[in-house]
Amino acid sequence: MYIYLNGDYNAESERQESVEEFYHTQHKHQSVEFVKKMRAEYGNLNRVEMSIWECCELLNEFRDESDPDLDEPQIEHLLQTAEAIRKDYPNEDWLHLTGLIHDLGKVLLHHSFGALPQWAVVGDTFPVGCAFDESIIHHKYFKENPDYNNPAYNTKLGIYSKGCGLDNVLMSWGHDDYMYLVAKESKTTLPSAALFIIRYHSFYPLHKSGAYTHLMNEEDKENLKWLHIFNKYDLYSKSKVRIDVEKVKPYYLSLIEKYFPSKLKW
């Protein structure tokens, strides 16, 4: 994600240059052909079997190069997000669990999952197969994308129809779409709003700028309300306050058992 904690992307940061280069590479390569290739390769979910909590622990090894605010290991961000939601929405346990698992698709960075480059795992997401909206960060770099001048893909609707529903839209490949596929295929009992949050929490052109709403159906519009709630915790729950993992672990294990099978295919 690209939002600084003070809300100003133009703020001085020692990482700003590397973040821009990250998006240069991402925008150049995230095409319809690439997304279809990744979905075909990873949609089989035949790499490993492991539990949700095992996946959380695996993320301790990684940091997100697209995020200028996050220096802590990923599990810290997951628990900070989940605990902040739990404090304000104590009766929405599905939302607590969504906070914990929303970034688990970042295991794509691990060698067991092919050690994909960061630009194919993290960062803001956007639809492919239609025109790249100008609200997308560093939009200028899309000029190097093979879809940019393709008349089949560079109109407002592209390969889609108005109101087709975001489930029918190809999103740029990364941890959001991957975790969405894993959760969906596991037959999780989480509500549709949770799956919506998982797949679109990095879709800032939609939930920050209001772009691509012409592709949404009525269910998307209802679920977007929950994504707006979730988003403020995803962005602004980051802090140096450490979470006592062992203290909160039993609670989250109980939620995992409630909404997921013991082992998931990844």
Side-chain angles (χ1 to χ4, degrees), residues 196-253:
F196 189 92
I197 289 169
I198 291 168
R199 192 179 192 220
Y200 307 114
H201 68 271
S202 303
F203 188 8
Y204 289 95
L206 171 69
H207 54 76
K208 184 174 185 293
S209 302
Y212 298 104
T213 54
H214 58 283
L215 299 176
M216 298 172 67
N217 59 24
E218 290 305 312
E219 184 177 16
D220 293 331
K221 293 173 184 176
E222 286 300 311
N223 287 336
L224 182 59
K225 298 174 184 178
W226 282 109
L227 180 54
H228 281 304
I229 290 171
F230 175 85
N231 183 243
K232 65 180 180 179
Y233 295 96
D234 187 21
L235 286 177
Y236 303 117
S237 63
K238 301 169 193 172
S239 72
K240 295 297 182 182
V241 177
R242 304 301 294 268
I243 300 293
D244 186 337
V245 176
E246 292 306 312
K247 182 178 180 180
V248 301
K249 182 177 178 179
Y251 174 70
Y252 289 101
L253 287 177

Side-chain angles (χ1 to χ4, degrees), residues 93-113:
D93 67 355
W94 66 270
L95 195 58
H96 311 164
L97 183 57
T98 303
L100 179 71
I101 70 174
H102 74 284
D103 274 347
L104 293 191
K106 291 180 181 179
V107 290
L108 290 171
L109 297 166
H110 195 271
H111 62 82
S112 299
F113 296 80

Side-chain angles (χ1 to χ4, degrees), residues 115-258:
L116 290 181
Q118 290 249 349
W119 63 262
V121 179
V122 299
D124 292 16
T125 60
F126 44 84
V128 297
C130 60
F132 301 113
D133 191 84
E134 291 188 1
S135 65
I136 302 171
I137 182 176
H138 295 306
H139 179 272
K140 60 187 176 183
Y141 295 124
F142 283 119
K143 292 179 181 179
E144 299 177 45
N145 187 298
D147 295 349
Y148 187 80
N149 292 312
N150 187 330
Y153 302 143
N154 64 6
T155 63
K156 184 175 181 178
L157 285 173
I159 61 176
Y160 309 113
S161 59
K162 186 176 181 179
C164 65
L166 294 178
D167 269 354
N168 296 308
V169 172
L170 287 173
M171 297 294 294
S172 54
W173 177 253
H175 73 280
D176 307 59
D177 206 28
Y178 181 56
M179 187 59 204
Y180 165 76
L181 292 174
V182 171
K184 186 177 180 181
E185 293 305 312
S186 75
K187 309 300 182 186
T188 179
T189 54
L190 285 171
S192 65
L195 294 177
F196 189 92
I197 289 169
I198 291 168
R199 192 179 192 220
Y200 307 114
H201 68 271
S202 303
F203 188 8
Y204 289 95
L206 171 69
H207 54 76
K208 184 174 185 293
S209 302
Y212 298 104
T213 54
H214 58 283
L215 299 176
M216 298 172 67
N217 59 24
E218 290 305 312
E219 184 177 16
D220 293 331
K221 293 173 184 176
E222 286 300 311
N223 287 336
L224 182 59
K225 298 174 184 178
W226 282 109
L227 180 54
H228 281 304
I229 290 171
F230 175 85
N231 183 243
K232 65 180 180 179
Y233 295 96
D234 187 21
L235 286 177
Y236 303 117
S237 63
K238 301 169 193 172
S239 72
K240 295 297 182 182
V241 177
R242 304 301 294 268
I243 300 293
D244 186 337
V245 176
E246 292 306 312
K247 182 178 180 180
V248 301
K249 182 177 178 179
Y251 174 70
Y252 289 101
L253 287 177
S254 72
L255 296 188
I256 292 167
E257 183 178 2
K258 177 179 179 179

